[in-house]
Amino acid sequence: MRDIALAALDAATLAGASYADARVVLERSETVSVRTGRVDAIASSESHGLGVRVIADGAWGFSATADLSPDGIRQAAREAVALARAAARTWSAPVRVADAPVVTDQWRGRCEIDPFAVSLGDKLALLLTADEAMRAEPLVTVTAGSIDAFGVDKVFASTEGSVIEQSYTEVGAGIVAYAITDGEVHPRSYPNSHGGQTVQAGWEAVLALDLAGNAPRIAEQAAALTRAMPCPSTTTTVILDGSQVALQVHESIGHPTELDRVLGDEAAFAGTSWVRAADLNALTYGSEHLNVVADATTPGSIGSFGYDDEGVPAQRFDIVRRGVLTGFLSSRESAAAIGRSSTGCARASEWNRIPLVRMTTVSLEPGIWDFDDLVADTDEGIYMETNSSWSIDDKRLNFQFACEIGWEIKGGKLGRMIKNPNYTGITPAFWGSLDAVCSPKHWQVWGVPNCGKGEPMQVAHVAHGAAPARFRNVQVGVAR
């Protein structure tokens, strides 16, 4: 892979590129799923290819190929240069990129047990055992479960002299029970909705989830939701569980602080931003309890790596500190546009895609509260768990989220169960209403393996650390 990358750089330079980088990527994936007692799907794939990005005549060009023969490599490099020269006829100013260190290094993510070495029989047995446990609840009529594995080996090289080898493995797993009555569907998921939890690790992480052990509890809750009270339409205090806070961070802080969106260079797939470059160190994003960091060095997170796809080292930096905007997610080009260094967030989803500004592990820092104390400190409100749906406008301002389950809070205690809990808000006002975050004891990193952006769309793997948090004066019960 290293020789292929270096050959691509030589070919691009000979063709006239003033700068070039090359990524050679080998990806493997496997999915196993069951539904209501039966095997639903078994799929695996492997993809190996080269992506070449160049600057020629002051413009970007990019090409990719799965033909890794000498002729295929040269053709891809020449095509990237030709595309750059064609693009140069329309640019208003030449491409500028921020400086980056020249690096020769290797990086490998944690993995104790190779998930691709575990037999399909063992994976199906684990899922079917959990599935059977959920179907023991009579009101649960549909069940589902899945296990995913994803592996990457990658070499990055640039004409500036960097040569970086990286490899990592990710696993994801989850189950869901559906109770269906009177035309309503009540899902209950574990450990999270939309496919469960995904981490950078091996098979040991799937075993640690104990899907079968948690199956009876979520099935019982799905059945109980059929008898639960509807979410009231009112304005009240809301406590969100960590997984829902994570998605709130993703949609209303992560995406709006991607610098390509801020600069107006990216607008595809629900995407500009309400934030301006001039807002840095000036904009009040939320309350003094809002502290958000991006940390691509977080162990076990699918938003972690050694170097981004421009060869910039993984970093930890503030995005919001005590409620004030203090940083952007950036690439070398977007950082140069505002006179700053790259924060190492240029990532491509595959070898045949050009790097974009993407989230890494963007997290709400923990506070000081124990969860039970936070509930006891709340006279009246609603506690909500596990996302079921969401919607947010293109500027990431006006949003609506719904959760799978909720409980009313009365006199500092959790009370009756609530079905279809949901809330709405405006980003700065909502984060301005944050008045408490639970402690590191309750803090967890949640993987988001399906973050879409770009045209053609790229699906990135990102993550968010979060703990349960409390928000005042929130409008709830808006989707009845």
Side-chain angles (χ1 to χ4, degrees), residues 47 74 95 129 144 146 196:
S47 178
R74 283 192 291 270
V95 170
T129 300
S146 62

Side-chain angles (χ1 to χ4, degrees), residues 11-339:
T13 302
L14 285 172
S18 58
Y19 167 85
D21 58 40
R23 288 175 297 110
V24 184
V25 184
L26 171 62
E27 293 181 349
R28 294 181 296 159
S29 66
E30 181 186 82
T31 297
V32 179
S33 64
V34 303
R35 180 172 292 271
T36 319
R38 295 184 176 182
V39 177
D40 183 52
I42 298 174
S44 64
S45 66
E46 183 173 300
S47 178
H48 193 193
L50 162 72
V52 186
R53 188 179 68 156
V54 307
I55 298 175
D57 295 347
W60 287 116
F62 177 76
S63 183
T65 182
D67 179 359
L68 300 180
S69 67
D71 285 345
I73 296 168
R74 283 192 291 270
Q75 183 175 342
R78 291 168 181 163
E79 185 175 77
V81 173
L83 289 169
R85 285 176 167 155
R89 298 170 188 166
T90 62
W91 60 249
S92 57
V95 170
R96 292 189 304 118
V97 295
D99 291 339
V102 175
V103 175
T104 300
D105 198 7
Q106 296 180 330
W107 183 87
R108 183 178 296 275
R110 294 179 180 177
C111 177
E112 295 179 13
I113 304 172
D114 181 2
F116 294 99
V118 177
S119 72
L120 285 174
D122 287 349
K123 292 170 180 172
L124 287 171
L126 189 154
L127 289 174
L128 289 170
T129 300
D131 190 271
E132 183 178 11
M134 290 188 288
R135 286 183 290 112
E137 166 54 55
L139 287 179
V140 170
T141 54
V142 178
T143 54
S146 62
I147 296 173
D148 300 296
F150 183 68
V152 173
D153 295 294
K154 180 191 309 184
V155 171
F156 170 89
S158 75
T159 52
E160 294 173 337
S162 289
V163 180
I164 300 166
E165 301 177 25
Q166 301 187 85
S167 63
Y168 56 89
T169 301
E170 299 173 356
V171 291
I175 54 175
V176 56
Y178 297 90
I180 305 171
T181 60
D182 299 328
E184 286 192 325
V185 179
H186 299 287
R188 203 56 194 107
S189 306
Y190 172 81
N192 200 3
S193 52
H194 314 306
Q197 166 73 317
T198 306
V199 297
Q200 193 177 82
W203 180 247
E204 68 279 359
V206 176
L207 297 178
L209 290 175
D210 187 16
L211 297 180
N214 284 278
R217 175 179 60 83
I218 67 160
E220 179 182 341
Q221 289 184 347
L225 282 169
T226 65
R227 304 180 293 271
M229 62 181 283
C231 183
S233 296
T234 187
T235 298
T236 189
T237 297
V238 167
I239 298 177
L240 302 178
D241 81 310
S243 67
Q244 177 59 32
V245 173
L247 187 58
Q248 185 76 52
V249 169
H250 178 95
E251 300 293 353
S252 63
I253 296 179
H255 277 309
T257 56
E258 295 166 342
L259 189 52
D260 56 347
R261 291 176 184 254
V262 172
L263 296 173
D265 295 334
E266 166 64 30
F269 211 78
T272 58
S273 175
W274 68 283
V275 179
R276 304 169 304 162
D279 290 333
L280 193 64
N281 298 317
L283 174 68
T284 298
Y285 211 106
S287 76
E288 63 178 351
H289 303 281
L290 182 62
N291 295 299
V292 179
V293 298
D295 187 357
T297 70
T298 306
S301 165
I302 63 172
S304 290
F305 44 81
Y307 300 85
D308 77 355
D309 286 331
E310 292 184 320
V312 176
Q315 300 170 37
R316 175 186 172 92
F317 59 93
D318 285 350
I319 293 180
V320 179
R321 179 57 53 187
R322 295 186 65 81
V324 177
L325 178 72
T326 55
F328 290 121
L329 302 155
S330 66
S331 61
R332 294 181 67 180
E333 183 179 17
S334 59
I338 62 170

